[in-house]
């Protein structure tokens, strides 16, 4: 397409539904908007909008074109953000993504980072979907498991998250306290809903604990932790979180085979920006306090 201004104009007409709304958004005269739409339709040989008294409605062909225009507009906005990120100031939008299971240690750290850099506007994205750094969906990612191998990402070791087996004092009062993993027979357990979970501690539970002993399963780790705290059963919890809960008792201390390696990721295009460098350095400086090193 020779003239992207015309496509951008059509995109804004579709968003606003009127010529005047598009003109205001683009900062141009309404006659310019009409000229762009007419020229684009003439070039393509198809009607992109139905004109009516209330404004403009995209035709089927218009909807197809505008979906592409919307994606292009989104990509250009991401590109602009990435270009701006190459400045020397620690400021602007900073998007961090991780599993929600890391909230308990990441959010306090992010709060302290923002206190040091008040010009940073943080966004924290969690969820099972893998946010794509190469598409500009996030600046920094914290991921668990095997070392990520996505191309064009800078991968740095973060730390091994230690987990142990814990029970609430209420559970121990009702069912007794087992002396380590060898004495778990007959005890009630809390575990993951996915029996094929790749988490090291979940694999251990699947291999070592009878299915019938797991009285509550959930695909939400926060629900699992809440169940442990409520005294429903014994289960795995990150030591960082469990150590802050006085009503929990450690049944089995962390083992190397249960630990989950964590990684810091950033895209190669953004890795050297001031804000990404500042955040990754800040997080790595926190590791000794999280690991007891």
């Amino acid at each position: 397409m020779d003239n992207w201004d015309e496509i951008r104009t059509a995109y804004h007409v579709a968003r606003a539904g009127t010529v005047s709304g598009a003109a205001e958004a683009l900062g141009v005269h309404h006659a310019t908007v009409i000229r762009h739409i007419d020229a684009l339709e003439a070039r393509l040989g198809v009607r992109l909008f139905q004109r009516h008294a209330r404004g403009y409605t995209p035709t089927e062909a218009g909807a197809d074109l505008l979906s592409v225009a919307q994606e292009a507009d989104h990509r250009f906005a991401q590109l602009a953000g990435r270009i701006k990120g190459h400045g020397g100031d620690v400021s602007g939008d900073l998007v961090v993504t991780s599993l929600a299971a890391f909230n308990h240690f990441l959010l306090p750290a992010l709060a302290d980072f923002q206190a040091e850099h008040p010009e940073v506007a943080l966004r924290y994205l969690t969820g099972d979907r893998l946010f794509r750094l190469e598409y500009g969906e996030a600046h920094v990612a914290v991921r668990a498991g095997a070392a990520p191998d996505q191309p064009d990402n800078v991968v740095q070791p973060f730390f091994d998250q230690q987990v142990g087996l814990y029970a609430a004092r209420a559970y121990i009062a009702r069912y007794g306290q087992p002396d380590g993993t060898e004495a778990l027979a007959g005890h009630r357990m809390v575990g993951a809903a996915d029996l094929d979970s790749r988490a090291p501690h979940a694999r251990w539970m699947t291999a070592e604990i009878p299915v019938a002993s797991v009285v509550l399963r959930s695909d939400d780790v926060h629900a699992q932790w809440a169940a442990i705290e409520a005294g429903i059963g014994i289960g795995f919890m990150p030591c960082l979180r469990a150590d802050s809960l006085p009503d929990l008792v450690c049944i089995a201390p962390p083992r190397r085979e249960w630990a989950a390696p964590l990684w810091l990721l950033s895209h190669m295009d953004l890795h050297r920006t001031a804000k990404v460098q500042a955040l990754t350095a800040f997080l790595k400086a926190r590791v000794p306090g999280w690991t007891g090193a």
Side-chain angles (χ1 to χ4, degrees):
M1 190 59 58
D2 294 333
N3 197 331
W4 283 101
D5 285 343
E6 295 170 358
I7 296 177
R8 186 164 175 259
T9 297
Y11 171 55
H12 281 278
V13 169
R15 290 185 64 183
T18 64
V19 168
S20 59
E24 182 178 355
L26 292 166
V28 299
H29 194 275
H30 72 275
T32 302
V33 174
I34 295 172
R35 186 173 68 252
H36 281 181
I37 297 301
D38 290 345
L40 186 58
E41 289 183 331
R43 184 175 290 107
L44 294 174
V46 65
R47 281 280 187 184
L48 297 174
F49 295 95
Q50 295 289 347
R51 281 78 163 169
H52 50 77
R54 295 184 305 278
Y56 282 40
T57 302
T59 63
E60 184 176 353
D64 286 343
L65 177 70
L66 295 167
S67 67
V68 175
Q70 183 177 28
E71 177 64 18
D73 187 76
H74 181 58
R75 291 291 182 87
F76 277 121
Q78 290 179 339
L79 177 61
R82 290 165 78 159
I83 292 172
K84 289 178 183 177
H86 284 281
D89 295 333
V90 181
S91 61
D93 289 342
L94 182 56
V95 185
V96 181
T97 178
S98 82
L99 293 173
F102 304 152
N103 291 355
H104 61 284
F105 67 87
L106 274 183
L107 283 174
L110 291 176
D112 290 344
F113 177 80
Q114 194 168 45
E116 286 192 13
H117 303 285
E119 298 303 315
V120 169
L122 279 169
R123 280 197 293 146
Y124 182 54
L125 307 178
T126 62
D128 294 331
R129 182 172 80 82
L130 209 62
F131 291 93
R132 306 287 294 275
L133 302 184
E134 65 271 27
Y135 288 165
E137 292 183 330
H139 296 92
V140 175
V142 179
R143 294 185 182 155
D149 58 0
Q150 291 89 359
D152 300 331
N153 285 343
V154 178
V155 179
Q156 304 177 72
F158 194 15
F159 70 99
D160 288 349
Q161 180 170 240
Q162 301 296 323
V163 299
L165 276 172
Y166 294 88
R169 297 187 188 279
Y171 174 90
I172 293 172
R174 178 175 293 184
Y175 300 106
Q177 179 175 345
D179 185 15
T181 56
E182 297 78 8
L184 288 175
H187 277 275
R188 302 163 65 85
M189 305 294 293
V190 172
D194 181 7
L195 295 179
D196 295 320
S197 171
R198 293 178 297 172
H201 61 275
R203 291 202 304 266
W204 181 90
M205 183 174 285
T206 298
E208 301 293 335
I209 303 298
V211 172
S213 295
V214 184
V215 298
L216 186 142
R217 293 185 181 275
S218 176
D219 58 359
D220 181 347
V221 293
H222 293 95
Q224 295 174 38
W225 299 345
I228 296 167
E229 292 178 57
I232 291 176
I234 300 169
F236 284 104
M237 189 179 291
C239 300
L240 272 173
R241 176 178 172 82
D243 290 347
S244 68
L245 301 172
D247 285 336
L248 289 188
V249 174
C250 182
I251 303 301
R255 297 180 183 177
R256 182 182 296 274
E257 63 186 298
W258 296 341
L262 305 187
W263 308 88
L264 281 174
L265 280 71
S266 53
H267 192 267
M268 59 184 299
D269 290 345
L270 295 176
H271 177 66
R272 292 296 178 189
T273 60
K275 59 188 176 183
V276 169
Q277 286 286 301
L279 178 62
T280 54
F282 186 90
L283 292 177
K284 287 190 288 187
R286 284 292 187 99
V287 169
W290 291 332
T291 61

mmCIF file of all heavy atoms in Angstrom, residues 168 170-171 174-175 188 226-233:
data_model
loop_
_atom_site.group_PDB
_atom_site.id
_atom_site.type_symbol
_atom_site.label_atom_id
_atom_site.label_comp_id
_atom_site.label_asym_id
_atom_site.label_seq_id
_atom_site.Cartn_x
_atom_site.Cartn_y
_atom_site.Cartn_z
ATOM 1 N N ALA A 168 -0.355 -26.564 58.748
ATOM 2 C CA ALA A 168 -0.832 -25.584 59.732
ATOM 3 C C ALA A 168 -0.866 -26.231 61.119
ATOM 4 O O ALA A 168 -1.023 -27.449 61.263
ATOM 5 C CB ALA A 168 -2.222 -25.099 59.347
ATOM 6 N N ALA A 170 -3.217 -26.048 63.085
ATOM 7 C CA ALA A 170 -4.551 -26.635 63.237
ATOM 8 C C ALA A 170 -4.589 -28.057 62.680
ATOM 9 O O ALA A 170 -5.235 -28.946 63.260
ATOM 10 C CB ALA A 170 -5.587 -25.767 62.524
ATOM 11 N N TYR A 171 -3.878 -28.280 61.567
ATOM 12 C CA TYR A 171 -3.812 -29.629 61.012
ATOM 13 C C TYR A 171 -3.088 -30.562 61.976
ATOM 14 O O TYR A 171 -3.535 -31.690 62.245
ATOM 15 C CB TYR A 171 -3.091 -29.623 59.657
ATOM 16 C CG TYR A 171 -2.876 -31.015 59.100
ATOM 17 C CD1 TYR A 171 -3.825 -31.596 58.275
ATOM 18 C CD2 TYR A 171 -1.746 -31.769 59.438
ATOM 19 C CE1 TYR A 171 -3.646 -32.880 57.779
ATOM 20 C CE2 TYR A 171 -1.559 -33.051 58.948
ATOM 21 C CZ TYR A 171 -2.513 -33.600 58.127
ATOM 22 O OH TYR A 171 -2.348 -34.887 57.661
ATOM 23 N N ARG A 174 -5.066 -31.747 64.862
ATOM 24 C CA ARG A 174 -6.111 -32.736 64.549
ATOM 25 C C ARG A 174 -5.535 -34.066 64.105
ATOM 26 O O ARG A 174 -6.037 -35.130 64.481
ATOM 27 C CB ARG A 174 -7.012 -32.169 63.456
ATOM 28 C CG ARG A 174 -8.118 -33.142 63.005
ATOM 29 C CD ARG A 174 -9.066 -32.501 62.012
ATOM 30 N NE ARG A 174 -9.841 -31.424 62.649
ATOM 31 C CZ ARG A 174 -10.794 -30.748 62.032
ATOM 32 N NH1 ARG A 174 -11.062 -30.995 60.751
ATOM 33 N NH2 ARG A 174 -11.453 -29.811 62.664
ATOM 34 N N TYR A 175 -4.474 -34.039 63.295
ATOM 35 C CA TYR A 175 -3.994 -35.272 62.664
ATOM 36 C C TYR A 175 -2.586 -35.684 63.108
ATOM 37 O O TYR A 175 -2.100 -36.748 62.712
ATOM 38 C CB TYR A 175 -4.001 -35.126 61.137
ATOM 39 C CG TYR A 175 -5.365 -34.850 60.564
ATOM 40 C CD1 TYR A 175 -5.700 -33.580 60.102
ATOM 41 C CD2 TYR A 175 -6.328 -35.851 60.483
ATOM 42 C CE1 TYR A 175 -6.955 -33.318 59.563
ATOM 43 C CE2 TYR A 175 -7.588 -35.599 59.957
ATOM 44 C CZ TYR A 175 -7.894 -34.332 59.497
ATOM 45 O OH TYR A 175 -9.142 -34.082 58.971
ATOM 46 N N ARG A 188 -3.028 -36.409 55.149
ATOM 47 C CA ARG A 188 -3.801 -35.737 54.117
ATOM 48 C C ARG A 188 -2.908 -34.695 53.432
ATOM 49 O O ARG A 188 -2.202 -33.947 54.110
ATOM 50 C CB ARG A 188 -5.031 -35.062 54.731
ATOM 51 C CG ARG A 188 -5.921 -36.062 55.475
ATOM 52 C CD ARG A 188 -6.885 -35.368 56.425
ATOM 53 N NE ARG A 188 -7.859 -34.541 55.715
ATOM 54 C CZ ARG A 188 -8.996 -35.000 55.202
ATOM 55 N NH1 ARG A 188 -9.302 -36.295 55.317
ATOM 56 N NH2 ARG A 188 -9.833 -34.186 54.584
ATOM 57 N N ALA A 226 -3.567 -21.478 50.454
ATOM 58 C CA ALA A 226 -4.657 -21.152 51.378
ATOM 59 C C ALA A 226 -5.197 -22.421 52.037
ATOM 60 O O ALA A 226 -5.559 -22.412 53.221
ATOM 61 C CB ALA A 226 -5.773 -20.415 50.647
ATOM 62 N N ALA A 227 -5.243 -23.513 51.272
ATOM 63 C CA ALA A 227 -5.715 -24.780 51.828
ATOM 64 C C ALA A 227 -4.760 -25.299 52.896
ATOM 65 O O ALA A 227 -5.190 -25.832 53.929
ATOM 66 C CB ALA A 227 -5.872 -25.809 50.714
ATOM 67 N N ILE A 228 -3.462 -25.135 52.660
ATOM 68 C CA ILE A 228 -2.475 -25.548 53.668
ATOM 69 C C ILE A 228 -2.651 -24.705 54.922
ATOM 70 O O ILE A 228 -2.691 -25.236 56.048
ATOM 71 C CB ILE A 228 -1.045 -25.401 53.104
ATOM 72 C CG1 ILE A 228 -0.844 -26.344 51.915
ATOM 73 C CG2 ILE A 228 -0.009 -25.686 54.191
ATOM 74 C CD1 ILE A 228 0.416 -26.051 51.115
ATOM 75 N N GLU A 229 -2.777 -23.403 54.754
ATOM 76 C CA GLU A 229 -2.948 -22.500 55.895
ATOM 77 C C GLU A 229 -4.240 -22.800 56.655
ATOM 78 O O GLU A 229 -4.300 -22.610 57.890
ATOM 79 C CB GLU A 229 -2.951 -21.051 55.430
ATOM 80 C CG GLU A 229 -1.605 -20.563 54.902
ATOM 81 C CD GLU A 229 -1.693 -19.133 54.404
ATOM 82 O OE1 GLU A 229 -2.093 -18.261 55.195
ATOM 83 O OE2 GLU A 229 -1.377 -18.893 53.220
ATOM 84 N N ALA A 230 -5.268 -23.265 55.930
ATOM 85 C CA ALA A 230 -6.558 -23.553 56.565
ATOM 86 C C ALA A 230 -6.561 -24.891 57.297
ATOM 87 O O ALA A 230 -7.541 -25.234 57.968
ATOM 88 C CB ALA A 230 -7.671 -23.539 55.521
ATOM 89 N N GLY A 231 -5.484 -25.667 57.179
ATOM 90 C CA GLY A 231 -5.407 -26.942 57.890
ATOM 91 C C GLY A 231 -6.019 -28.107 57.146
ATOM 92 O O GLY A 231 -6.259 -29.166 57.734
ATOM 93 N N ILE A 232 -6.266 -27.945 55.842
ATOM 94 C CA ILE A 232 -6.868 -29.034 55.073
ATOM 95 C C ILE A 232 -5.886 -30.172 54.878
ATOM 96 O O ILE A 232 -6.266 -31.348 54.882
ATOM 97 C CB ILE A 232 -7.376 -28.496 53.718
ATOM 98 C CG1 ILE A 232 -8.569 -27.568 53.953
ATOM 99 C CG2 ILE A 232 -7.748 -29.628 52.774
ATOM 100 C CD1 ILE A 232 -9.085 -26.897 52.708
ATOM 101 N N GLY A 233 -4.614 -29.846 54.700
ATOM 102 C CA GLY A 233 -3.626 -30.896 54.492
ATOM 103 C C GLY A 233 -2.223 -30.335 54.468
ATOM 104 O O GLY A 233 -1.998 -29.133 54.633
#
